[in-house]
Amino acid sequence: MIRAAVKIAYLGEHFSGSQMQPGVRTVAGDVLSDLERAAGLGGGDPRLRLASRTDKGVNALGNVAVFDSGVDDPAVLLRALNAVSEYVFYRGVALVGEGFNPRFADNRAYRYVIPSQGMDVGAMGACAEMFAGEHDFARFCRQDGRPTTLTMDAVTLREGDGVAVIDFSARYYLWNLIRRIAAAVMAVGKGDATLEEVRGALCGDDLSFGVARPDALTLMDVRYGGVEFAPAAGVSAGRVEEGMFRNRLRGMFLESL
């Protein structure tokens, strides 16, 4: 029996969030099902834990699932999981000890993508930069009792291919924090809000800029000091190719309208 930490990826459109919920499809539920089919756990408790919670519709390229497995070879485990999974991609694996807690990460990286056509990208970049450093984000989160002051290591915006991409780096985040920041950045880009208004909200003014859509948000990676993930060999190439072909068909249809 091993304790494995596995990098997982998924499109949020297929799930009602990452955490187990009765009666709906979730990431944790799919991982448990995949483990039962691929690793032959026979209904035993794999003590599954996820590094980061993602809401309904939010994507991930580098969330981490930790569980017990009777398959002792990590490479075989990844191949087996990718062979049976429908919507979760198993991208890398590391063996960890009993005391490893995936919630205690050194860094989490997120990305939010915004259409840039008709937007003041320069103003958006200036707005995004304001959120770097230590701030009280009380006006930019859904409060759940946790302290609202944290340090954002970096917030950067770049433009390319008709979109503006905001990259976030921090040890942890508050509920809806990134989507509320993205909403403020978009409001500035559209001219619906000023940099002074956003700065005022960051200083405690009673202002809200809404919550941006979930499907434009991706958890890019979760990192731990001293933990190296061995990449999977050919992550479900057939599923990836089929997904890209379906997207191309959809794009051709929409372009024809």
Side-chain angles (χ1 to χ4, degrees):
M1 185 71 70
I2 62 171
R3 186 82 174 150
V6 175
K7 284 285 178 77
I8 60 173
Y10 47 86
L11 279 171
E13 66 184 27
H14 299 301
F15 301 100
S16 295
S18 60
Q19 307 304 111
M20 292 290 294
Q21 300 177 57
V24 296
R25 188 167 202 164
T26 66
V27 176
D30 265 33
V31 172
L32 281 174
S33 175
D34 293 344
L35 282 169
E36 290 175 358
R37 289 188 291 161
L41 292 179
D45 179 12
R47 299 186 298 153
L48 173 67
R49 300 192 69 181
L50 298 184
S52 294
R53 169 180 176 164
T54 54
D55 289 338
K56 181 179 181 179
V58 175
N59 315 301
L61 282 170
N63 206 344
V64 174
V66 179
F67 49 80
D68 295 333
S69 172
V71 178
D72 294 334
D73 186 327
V76 172
L77 174 63
L78 286 188
R79 286 199 300 271
L81 288 169
N82 279 316
V84 301
S85 182
E86 184 175 6
Y87 293 127
V88 178
F89 298 88
Y90 298 87
R91 303 186 64 196
V93 61
L95 299 184
V96 294
E98 282 291 318
F100 180 79
N101 187 336
R103 298 291 297 172
F104 297 157
D106 291 332
N107 179 267
R108 290 173 168 84
Y110 278 88
R111 175 169 293 170
Y112 199 92
V113 181
I114 301 169
S116 61
Q117 184 175 3
M119 306 283 266
D120 185 339
V121 177
M124 291 168 66
C127 182
E129 290 175 1
M130 288 195 299
F131 293 95
E134 182 178 293
H135 301 283
D136 184 347
F137 291 99
R139 302 299 182 192
F140 292 91
C141 69
R142 179 176 174 180
Q143 298 193 25
D144 57 5
R146 290 187 295 168
T148 54
T149 297
L150 61 83
T151 299
M152 201 79 75
D153 297 326
V155 183
T156 60
L157 183 145
R158 57 183 172 83
E159 184 183 15
D161 296 327
V163 296
V165 177
I166 313 176
D167 286 313
F168 299 82
S169 176
R171 189 170 65 84
Y172 68 96
Y173 300 80
L174 300 167
W175 199 354
N176 283 165
L177 175 62
I178 294 177
R179 290 168 60 197
R180 288 179 183 271
I181 290 175
V185 171
M186 284 190 284
V188 168
K190 293 176 182 177
D192 294 335
T194 65
L195 290 173
E196 290 72 24
E197 287 174 326
V198 176
R199 187 176 292 109
L202 198 53
C203 292
D205 291 352
D206 190 11
L207 290 172
S208 174
F209 305 94
V211 184
R213 59 192 289 176
D215 59 339
L217 176 61
T218 300
L219 171 59
M220 300 298 293
D221 202 5
V222 182
R223 305 182 184 98
Y224 307 89
V227 178
E228 295 291 334
F229 289 83
V235 182
S236 304
R239 282 199 291 150
V240 172
E241 291 170 2
E242 174 63 18
M244 293 179 68
F245 180 62
R246 286 173 180 253
N247 286 340
R248 181 58 187 146
L249 291 177
R250 179 180 174 84
M252 292 174 65
F253 171 81
L254 293 174
E255 290 166 3
S256 301
L257 293 177

